[in-house]
Amino acid sequence: MTAQSLPGAFAMVDIPGPVLDAETAAHLKKYGVRSVCLFGKNIESVAQLRRLCADLREVLGEDALIALDHEGGAILRPDFWPFAPSAMDLGAADDAALTQDVSAALGCQLRSVGINWNFAPVLDVNVSPANPVIGERAYGADPATVTRHGRAALAGLAAAGVAACVKHFPGHGDTRVDSHLALPRVDKSRAELEATEFAPFRDLLPQTPAVMTAHIVYPALDDVHPATLSRRILTGLLRQEWGFDGVTVTDSMGMKAIDDHYGRGEAGVLALEAGADLVMALGRREAQEATLEAVGAALGGRLNRQEMEASLERLHALAQKYPARADTALHPQDDADLLRHAWAQGLTAYRNPVPPEPGSRITLIAHRQPVRETVSEAGADAETLARELGQVYDVNLIPFETPDEIDWPVARAAGNPVILATTARHRHPALIGVQPDLHIALYNPYAVLDVDAPALLAYGFRPEARAAVLNWLKGETGAGGILPFAAS
């Protein structure tokens, strides 16, 4: 191994807060860490984030990789930039040029502060309406749609000078278990995987700088190991059969799909043995150290020297092609109109919804205070929705904590049109068969399959999405999006 092959060269970590404190800097230097993933806890303002990235780059060195999950929709950490739409909103709009422009805008936001790696686009084909973790993060349920928009997203990020990372290889779209919480399985034949899950990943490899692995068991490929730890998948399929020569990074090894079954240190080494270049060793300091110490020990003999050298070369090439330098000439606010337009283009009518007459009295039923869940941010709260709809209607608000407490006879007693706004990440069985006059789906689009009513789908809850809904309610705009999944 080279002198640069400290264990941290093969691990990505997170840091505790919005500044790089001396203790954390010493930790990164001790192990030779070159890659950091940022989260909401690290982000306060543009100036603060730019300073943090500069401080990180000084410690991580010229091969610094500073990453963020910056997908759009619910997966956006900073709240000071215009919000980009979710992938499924773009799939509904089905305008590849628009998808490319939106991805370039996302890249511009990151590059303006010095973040050089975006963990996007999502290439999962969301064929399961019950999927608890992908949903509107996917472009749709059709491999061709996902491939078309994935190609556009890759082009947009490349044009902005930010490295993309497609995920979650080889496909997280047909799971009913969230790998943050348990270890999913996809029991499909190789032929079925080829036709659906594999298609976007395989077809877009020539434009793909990096691939993120899925913590999922695919028995048709490897009946023992999840993809993240499977040499058959990461080396046999991805490298040898498909010829991928970019970077392979694991999803977070702190997710229960891995941590509960293997433990941090051993899992990190297994991932590198399988063919990953970089292990995402996120979490508390002792968990990071468990991975770093185990990798350091394995570099002494267990890990293949030639393969580790190849990993270093791939990581070096990625960092050199996409340097982590802030471009202060970029102005993300300039893309506000583009992103508002993109949200509006995806707005989709389901079962011919008709808005109540502006100025009339309506009853609004909405979640009092949605909460943040694992990877996704919290949806809009009931008071905010009531205040905004108050620009169009005289609103009687009925907030709920959980949908099973909604008293539908009481809601209907006044005789007003009843609007149900769903703003939760997950579908809820208590909403199956309920019959408001209008359903506004502001988060999980598959909720329209449960609620027995005409619906307007916004594929997200961000202010730009809500503004598009208001314009539709006022009769100022239409809803020309095409539902990107089967309605039955």
Side-chain angles (χ1 to χ4, degrees), residues 235-320:
T235 298
L237 177 65
L238 185 59
R239 296 262 184 234
Q240 296 172 352
E241 188 174 335
W242 290 358
F244 181 60
D245 60 1
V247 166
T248 304
V249 58
T250 74
D251 206 340
S252 170
M253 302 299 270
M255 292 160 64
K256 291 181 180 295
I258 296 296
D259 208 13
D260 283 1
H261 293 81
Y262 300 92
R264 290 298 188 89
E266 177 63 10
V269 175
L270 287 171
L272 295 175
E273 284 185 318
D277 298 309
L278 193 64
V279 173
M280 204 181 294
L282 307 181
R284 61 194 187 281
R285 184 67 51 81
E286 55 267 34
Q288 294 181 15
E289 290 175 343
T291 299
L292 292 162
E293 293 289 346
V295 170
L299 288 171
R302 179 175 167 184
L303 291 167
N304 180 283
R305 178 189 178 99
Q306 186 175 0
E307 290 182 358
M308 294 299 98
E309 292 283 7
S311 289
L312 288 178
E313 280 301 313
R314 286 189 284 266
L315 291 163
H316 170 75
L318 187 70
Q320 292 304 301

Side-chain angles (χ1 to χ4, degrees), residues 396-412:
N396 169 41
L397 175 63
I398 300 180
F400 62 83
E401 300 295 340
T402 61
D404 49 10
E405 71 182 33
I406 301 169
D407 190 328
W408 287 95
V410 167
R412 290 198 169 279

Side-chain angles (χ1 to χ4, degrees), residues 30-47:
K30 174 183 176 181
Y31 290 102
V33 172
R34 302 175 190 173
S35 307
V36 166
C37 186
L38 300 179
F39 293 90
K41 64 185 177 181
N42 309 121
I43 298 171
E44 292 180 340
S45 69
V46 171

Side-chain angles (χ1 to χ4, degrees), residues 315-331:
L315 291 163
H316 170 75
L318 187 70
Q320 292 304 301
K321 185 173 182 179
Y322 302 97
R325 294 190 185 94
D327 185 345
T328 56
L330 296 174
H331 300 288

Side-chain angles (χ1 to χ4, degrees), residues 415-429:
N416 306 321
V418 175
I419 297 178
L420 170 68
T422 53
T423 56
R425 180 184 180 196
H426 299 297
R427 296 162 67 182
H428 197 289

Side-chain angles (χ1 to χ4, degrees), residues 215-235:
H215 301 330
I216 300 172
V217 175
Y218 305 82
L221 307 175
D222 186 331
D223 60 0
V224 176
H225 303 101
T228 295
L229 309 182
S230 172
R231 189 166 180 86
R232 291 182 187 177
I233 296 174
L234 300 191
T235 298

